[in-house]
Amino acid sequence: MVFNVLWTILLGVIGGIVSSLIVSRVFLIQGEYQQQLTFVAHIFRRINYISAFLQSAKAIFEVSYDQDIEMKREMQEKGYKTEMEYYAAHRDKDWIKKSDVLDLIKKEIDNTAKTINSEIADAHVVDVKMLELLHDSMRYVHEVSSVKELSFKSIEGFTKTEQSLHERYKECVKVSGKTLCRLIAKDKLMIILFSLVALLLVGTIITGLLRV
């Protein structure tokens, strides 16, 4: 009688320990994976920052093109021989050189690119898909920062690459639940714990059937 009581208590203690280990391990795996997702999301916020500057530069090119057409039309109508004459006739406007604004934009892009590369280099990401995504993101920001002068054509190319990266990032987030389950199922400690639970369950069923 005493043996049965002690045996039941022992099984309860072992079961509690195993359950605690399983829960703790699941939370640990989930926490590590979530940290990786959070870091990738942080990097993509910085990529969005670069994208915003690229779109600003694109808008400047578009506005500048329209202004050039308007300036040529007015110069022909009013007989201005040089652009200086045109600007002199519009002294009331605050003229800002396009090149100066583009230089400022390029400087911000380059600084952000350096920060991204530095953060990715120091990051601890082990998920294969996220790691590949980060490497391609580094390649993208390197290409953007390596361009000496932004142009309408180069911005179009960068925009396509950035959209592709975003699609891959969304896919990583979409399958994050499945990926987490796969990590838990493949974890060596979890395999041992699940095997132990399975053995206890099978042993309990067999002893019950045999009335041992």
Side-chain angles (χ1 to χ4, degrees):
M1 182 69 178
V2 176
F3 173 79
N4 290 335
V5 172
L6 292 176
W7 179 249
T8 301
I9 293 174
L10 179 61
L11 288 177
V13 171
I14 294 174
I17 294 173
V18 172
S19 298
S20 298
L21 288 174
I22 290 175
V23 172
S24 298
R25 188 61 180 175
V26 167
F27 275 112
L28 178 62
I29 295 172
Q30 181 186 28
E32 291 178 347
Y33 183 70
Q34 186 59 48
Q35 283 182 351
Q36 295 177 68
L37 273 177
T38 301
F39 175 76
V40 175
H42 166 73
I43 292 299
F44 270 82
R45 283 195 293 271
R46 293 200 180 278
I47 289 177
N48 288 338
Y49 188 67
I50 290 178
S51 178
F53 276 113
L54 289 175
Q55 294 308 310
S56 297
K58 181 180 178 181
I60 290 173
F61 283 120
E62 291 172 345
V63 171
S64 176
Y65 179 76
D66 293 338
Q67 287 181 341
D68 289 342
I69 293 176
E70 177 62 25
M71 182 176 67
K72 289 179 181 178
R73 184 190 62 79
E74 187 174 339
M75 287 177 66
Q76 289 176 352
E77 289 179 354
K78 298 187 177 180
Y80 299 139
K81 295 181 179 179
T82 63
E83 292 183 3
M84 293 302 297
E85 290 183 13
Y86 173 82
Y87 290 127
H90 296 81
R91 292 178 180 176
D92 56 320
K93 294 184 178 181
D94 294 327
W95 297 101
I96 301 175
K97 290 181 65 177
K98 179 180 69 175
S99 59
D100 291 341
V101 180
L102 291 175
D103 287 343
L104 289 174
I105 289 176
K106 187 63 168 59
K107 184 177 180 181
E108 285 297 319
I109 289 175
D110 292 346
N111 290 336
T112 305
K114 289 180 181 178
T115 302
I116 290 175
N117 288 330
S118 177
E119 289 180 342
I120 292 179
D122 295 334
H124 179 65
V125 176
V126 295
D127 182 81
V128 176
K129 288 187 177 180
M130 284 193 279
L131 196 59
E132 291 177 352
L133 182 57
L134 289 175
H135 286 163
D136 290 341
S137 297
M138 288 181 69
R139 189 179 298 110
Y140 163 72
V141 297
H142 174 72
E143 290 175 356
V144 175
S145 60
S146 296
V147 173
K148 294 183 179 180
E149 291 184 4
L150 293 172
S151 64
F152 194 89
K153 183 177 180 180
S154 65
I155 292 174
E156 286 291 309
F158 294 144
T159 300
K160 291 181 180 179
T161 303
E162 186 231 340
Q163 289 174 347
S164 175
L165 291 173
H166 270 285
E167 289 299 321
R168 291 169 59 189
Y169 167 66
K170 290 178 182 178
E171 184 63 23
C172 285
V173 175
K174 183 179 179 180
V175 301
S176 60
K178 293 181 180 179
T179 303
L180 180 59
C181 290
R182 188 165 58 251
L183 288 173
I184 293 172
K186 289 183 176 181
D187 183 71
K188 292 181 179 179
L189 180 57
M190 291 299 294
I191 291 174
I192 294 173
L193 293 174
F194 284 140
S195 299
L196 182 59
V197 171
L199 288 173
L200 289 173
L201 181 61
V202 171
T204 302
I205 294 174
I206 292 174
T207 54
L209 293 175
L210 297 178
R211 301 181 182 275
V212 177

